[in-house]
């Protein structure tokens, strides 16, 4: 069974036949200027910087025959799946559903809700549109994983402490072993990323493991 000896907090053994890669919300709305992330006042440059690393991880997973599952945080055009508490909170420059430079913010089918071209899903890959931060909430993700026989999940994507961490916690509670690729995830807030990695590994991998993308790719070869 392959293992990642350098994973933290201790070696991570996994069976590639029951492992999938989940790439969380690598969407233009979070990664490019003019999207939702920028409308909330964030600098998107650190998120843009991980795109090549995420692309390497996806390529390695595909070469090893792992299912690659992509998620997109987005809502129906009529906003019926967007709670007012989410849409109306705070004072962003643009709210969910407002028209921005990349179409309506976080609305399914709009250019901004698309995954960045460098990480585009292949036609046969699963793409989960999710209205929440966690990818299990109000989506068919659990059904897909059951059908695939998946027991182990490798995570990448943005943002580390919001949608990635929420989904990892949901997965952990559902019995999956979870590992986050440290350099294939990013936050608008470096301290939040560091704290999230520490929280995941704490107390004997209470949420899961972390490892570098190189270490994951080496184990997959
Ligand atoms: C946020 C996400 N940060 N994908 N979404 O609102 O983490």
């Amino acid at each position: 069974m392959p293992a990642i000896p350098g994973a933290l907090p201790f070696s991570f053994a996994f069976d590639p036949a029951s492992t999938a890669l989940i790439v969380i919300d690598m969407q233009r709305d979070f990664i490019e200027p003019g999207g939702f992330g920028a409308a909330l006042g964030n600098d998107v440059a650190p998120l843009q910087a991980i795109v090549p690393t995420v692309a390497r991880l996806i390529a390695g997973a595909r070469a090893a025959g792992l299912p690659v599952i992509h998620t997109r945080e987005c809502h129906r055009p009529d906003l019926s799946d967007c709670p007012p508490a989410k849409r109306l909170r705070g004072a962003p420059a643009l709210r969910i559903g407002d028209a921005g430079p990349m179409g309506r913010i976080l609305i399914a089918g709009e250019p901004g809700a698309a995954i960045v071209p460098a990480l585009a899903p292949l036609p046969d890959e699963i793409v989960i549109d999710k209205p929440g931060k966690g990818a299990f909430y109000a989506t068919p993700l659990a059904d897909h994983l059951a059908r695939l026989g998946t027991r182990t999940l490798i995570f990448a994507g943005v943002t580390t402490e919001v949608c990635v961490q929420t989904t990892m916690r949901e997965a952990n509670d559902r019995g999956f072993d979870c590992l986050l690729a440290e350099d294939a995830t990013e936050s608008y807030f470096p301290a939040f990323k560091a704290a999230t990695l520490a929280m995941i590994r704490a107390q004997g991998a209470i949420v899961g493991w972390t490892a570098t993308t190189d270490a994951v790719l080496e184990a997959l070869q």
Side-chain angles (χ1 to χ4, degrees), residues 162-177:
V162 185
C163 291
V164 175
Q165 178 172 213
T166 302
T167 305
M168 278 188 83
R169 287 177 181 274
E170 288 183 321
N172 188 48
D173 283 351
R174 286 166 172 77
F176 294 92
D177 277 330

Side-chain angles (χ1 to χ4, degrees), residues 24-25 30 36 40 73 130 133 158-159 162-164 188:
I24 302 282
D25 299 358
F30 293 110
F36 187 53
L40 292 169
E73 182 178 348
K130 60 184 187 58
K133 305 305 184 193
V158 297
T159 59
V162 185
C163 291
V164 175
Y188 301 117

Side-chain angles (χ1 to χ4, degrees), residues 1-16 19 21 57 66 152-155 177-183 209-221:
M1 181 125 86
I4 305 175
L8 294 173
F10 49 83
S11 181
F12 179 78
F14 67 102
D15 179 359
T19 300
L21 172 66
L57 184 59
L66 267 57
T152 301
L153 295 171
I154 297 173
F155 283 88
D177 277 330
C178 299
L179 178 136
L180 175 58
E182 297 163 14
D183 49 349
W209 286 255
T210 74
T212 63
T213 295
D214 281 346
V216 175
L217 293 176
E218 196 178 322
L220 286 175
Q221 269 166 12

Side-chain angles (χ1 to χ4, degrees), residues 94-111:
L94 291 168
R95 292 186 191 280
I96 295 168
D98 288 350
M102 294 188 286
R104 293 179 68 202
I105 296 284
L106 286 194
I107 298 298
E110 297 286 337

